[in-house]
Amino acid sequence: FRHLLPKLIFKAWRAYVCQQQGKRNKYSIAESHAEKQALLRTWQRWALYAAVQRRQRGRQRAALAFRERSCLRICWAVWRRRHQQSCAGRKMNVSALQHWAQSLQIRAWLQWRELFLHSQKDKEREMRAVTHHRHWQLKTCMEAWLEYLNLQKAKQLQNELAQEHHCSSVTRQCFSGWQLSWECRRRLQAQQEGVEQRAARPASWRAFARWKLYIQALLSSRQRQ
């Protein structure tokens, strides 16, 4: 019985160690899979965000080009209409009102130059406004992206700390349980050795047999658990 009891204890301890090792392997595999999934989701969201930003920039460039072309067409139409009007007036009044036609041409030219300069100033203002708006949008997007990166880093740090705390608590619980079980088995073994020494006496043989049956029943119930 002294040889059989340590063998049973060693088999139970080896099964317990194998079970704990399998749990740790499964937990490490689950953690690596979760990290890969989180990285994949982050990459997909970033790619979607970059595609949306590219589409928005393309739309903005197309809108600005269309606006520039429309402004040029309007200015050219106005200038051409006024030029045609001035030419028609010069042709009708060239014989009798040459001096008046020249003065009218000068006034038309001055007016056209003023309109042209005014249109140039308007274009410059529009270009500055568009550039300022574009810089402001880029700054806003960059700030939002940096804030998103900071939030992701903070979440990742919190997850790592929580995982470390969980691992340490599980390790402490397993070690304390194993230590209590080992101490209990050591006490039982010491008690068994003392009883066996006392049971060597003929007068206490019946009590030793009863105690031995009780110990065997206790060990079998623990093995079933």
Side-chain angles (χ1 to χ4, degrees):
F1 180 76
R2 283 198 301 270
H3 291 293
L4 181 61
L5 181 60
K7 185 176 181 181
L8 294 175
I9 293 171
F10 178 75
K11 285 183 178 180
W13 177 77
R14 186 174 60 183
Y16 174 76
V17 170
C18 291
Q19 185 179 5
Q20 292 298 320
Q21 186 175 3
K23 287 183 180 180
R24 286 194 296 272
N25 292 332
K26 290 179 182 179
Y27 186 74
S28 64
I29 291 170
E31 284 182 349
S32 64
H33 180 69
E35 289 177 356
K36 289 179 181 178
Q37 291 295 325
L39 183 62
L40 179 61
R41 286 194 295 270
T42 304
W43 174 254
Q44 289 176 354
R45 290 176 183 174
W46 182 82
L48 181 62
Y49 174 77
V52 170
Q53 290 298 319
R54 284 197 298 270
R55 286 198 296 270
Q56 287 182 356
R57 287 195 294 271
R59 290 173 184 172
Q60 288 177 359
R61 287 195 294 268
L64 290 174
F66 178 76
R67 187 171 183 178
E68 290 176 358
R69 288 196 299 271
S70 63
C71 290
L72 289 174
R73 282 197 300 270
I74 292 170
C75 293
W76 173 251
V78 171
W79 180 81
R80 187 175 59 183
R81 187 172 60 252
R82 292 183 182 275
H83 183 67
Q84 289 176 358
Q85 291 175 0
S86 65
C87 289
R90 284 196 305 272
K91 287 179 181 180
M92 288 189 300
N93 299 319
V94 67
S95 59
L97 301 171
Q98 186 176 5
H99 180 69
W100 181 81
Q102 290 177 356
S103 63
L104 181 62
Q105 185 179 3
I106 292 171
R107 286 197 299 272
W109 170 255
L110 292 174
Q111 187 177 5
W112 176 84
R113 188 177 66 178
E114 184 179 359
L115 289 173
F116 181 76
L117 293 174
H118 184 68
S119 64
Q120 289 293 326
K121 291 179 181 180
D122 289 337
K123 287 180 183 178
E124 291 177 358
R125 289 174 184 173
E126 288 175 359
M127 290 298 294
R128 286 197 297 270
V130 168
T131 304
H132 177 71
H133 182 67
R134 186 181 298 172
H135 286 307
W136 179 77
Q137 284 184 344
L138 288 174
K139 183 180 178 182
T140 304
C141 294
M142 183 60 69
E143 290 176 353
W145 183 67
L146 290 175
E147 185 177 0
Y148 173 76
L149 286 180
N150 292 328
L151 288 174
Q152 291 297 321
K153 288 180 180 178
K155 288 181 180 179
Q156 185 177 4
L157 181 60
Q158 289 178 1
N159 291 329
E160 290 177 356
L161 291 174
Q163 289 176 359
E164 291 178 359
H165 179 70
H166 180 68
C167 290
S168 62
S169 62
V170 169
T171 305
R172 286 196 301 271
Q173 290 177 1
C174 293
F175 182 76
S176 62
W178 177 82
Q179 188 177 9
L180 289 173
S181 177
W182 181 74
E183 289 178 358
C184 181
R185 290 176 182 176
R186 189 179 63 181
R187 286 196 298 271
L188 287 175
Q189 188 176 4
Q191 290 177 3
Q192 183 179 359
E193 290 176 357
V195 171
E196 285 179 357
Q197 290 176 1
R198 289 192 299 272
R201 300 173 185 176
S204 60
W205 176 256
R206 186 175 298 174
F208 173 75
R210 291 178 182 177
W211 181 84
K212 189 174 182 180
L213 291 175
Y214 172 74
I215 291 297
Q216 289 178 356
L218 180 61
L219 288 175
S220 63
S221 64
R222 284 183 179 275
Q223 288 178 358
R224 292 193 192 95
Q225 291 178 0

